[in-house]
Amino acid sequence: MADHGESARLLTGIAGELTPFGHRIMARVYYADTDFSGVVYHARYLEFFERGRSDFLRLAGVHHTELADGKHGEKLVWVVRRMEIDFRGPARIDDILTVDTHAEDISGARIVMAQQLKRGHEVLVEARVEAAIIGANGRPRRFPKEWIAAFMPKG
């Protein structure tokens, strides 16, 4: 079956977009995201936030596959060191959600990212995530200088 450009059109926006403050991505709540009551299961919010952080990194030019392949001199991986989550309201099946992500601070091998999950203008869940990059030996590695400019808010 011929593509006729459909793939490129469908891929546009799949990773969300970089914004002056950081990154924004939209997601729909599916049946698989919910518990028996039709409300998003609490652990699924972690997955929505992970998509926001991963696509922020990807659009900022930091790709997990390149890190794992050692493109920066050695194999590197991201680890979440700490996470705080405030649940303010439930998301439900078929809701369209917005995940906003921005870097609050970068120092050494550590980055702190703030995230909000919203339905329209209503904030449903907020998270603050501290992550780091480590080498194959499990020791922290400093962020390359060019990453700091890519992650920190522009406005």
Side-chain angles (χ1 to χ4, degrees), residues 17-83:
E17 64 181 359
L18 292 176
T19 65
F21 66 83
H23 178 264
R24 174 171 284 153
I25 191 167
M26 306 289 287
R28 180 184 302 276
V29 175
Y30 293 104
Y31 180 77
D33 298 318
T34 64
D35 62 16
F36 66 91
S37 69
V39 170
V40 170
Y41 179 66
H42 73 278
R44 290 297 245 206
Y45 292 108
L46 298 177
E47 295 179 24
F48 288 118
F49 286 137
E50 174 64 29
R51 286 181 223 159
R53 290 190 311 276
S54 291
D55 282 325
F56 180 20
L57 298 175
R58 180 178 293 108
L59 292 179
V62 178
H63 302 268
H64 291 289
T65 51
E66 291 178 359
L67 296 176
D69 290 342
K71 246 187 156 174
H72 295 273
E74 68 175 309
K75 292 183 179 190
L76 300 170
V77 294
W78 287 96
V79 293
V80 171
R81 186 175 177 277
R82 178 180 172 85
M83 182 178 278

Side-chain angles (χ1 to χ4, degrees), residues 1-9:
M1 185 179 219
D3 185 310
H4 304 292
E6 289 91 355
S7 293
R9 194 171 61 252

